[in-house]
Amino acid sequence: MSDVLEPQTFRVTRADLVRYAGASGDFNPIHWSDRVATGVGLPGVIAHGMFTMALVGRAVTTWAGAADAVVEFSVRFSRPVPVPDTDEGTEVVVTGTVKEITEQGHIRLNLTATCNGDKVLSLAQALIRKR
């Protein structure tokens, strides 16, 4: 493991949102209807927050080498991830840096997730078990 989680880019399309809605049971129309999303003041359809968090989790587990190495993982949602109705959708870019090594030898990562240059999560951190 390096001291930096190199940028990992995840493409998010409306089709991904439909699949996530089916898997999670979250069929809130802000995740599939532009009319409803703009009607409540959003820029359009947005990704599910937990889907965005899962993408960050995927980046962390890839960096850590195994899902069971992740001891703690937390985020706060700070901005929505707008997903245009195009074949390309949008991109979420995940990066991270080592904040500290704990007394137990675990690694605490500070994480950043951005979409279109905007930070979409705040206070995102993971604690990785010493290997």
Side-chain angles (χ1 to χ4, degrees), residues 9-113:
T9 302
F10 299 94
R11 180 150 313 278
V12 180
T13 66
R14 295 273 178 102
D16 294 320
L17 301 185
V18 170
R19 285 189 286 273
Y20 184 82
S24 69
D26 181 352
F27 295 101
N28 186 323
I30 65 172
H31 302 304
W32 55 267
S33 170
D34 280 308
R35 180 179 50 80
V36 172
T38 57
V40 297
L42 294 168
V45 166
I46 62 170
H48 302 74
M50 294 303 288
F51 180 71
T52 305
M53 186 177 179
L55 296 176
V56 177
R58 184 184 304 168
V60 169
T61 58
T62 298
W63 182 84
D68 66 349
V70 180
V71 177
E72 295 174 5
F73 177 47
S74 62
V75 305
R76 286 202 183 159
F77 304 106
S78 55
R79 294 184 83 104
V81 173
V83 181
D85 190 10
T86 64
D87 291 340
E88 296 79 27
T90 195
E91 290 181 339
V92 174
V93 179
V94 180
T95 59
T97 56
V98 172
K99 177 182 178 185
E100 69 173 325
I101 307 295
T102 68
E103 290 180 16
Q104 299 82 15
H106 296 347
I107 299 167
R108 184 165 312 279
L109 287 175
N110 278 344
L111 303 161
T112 302

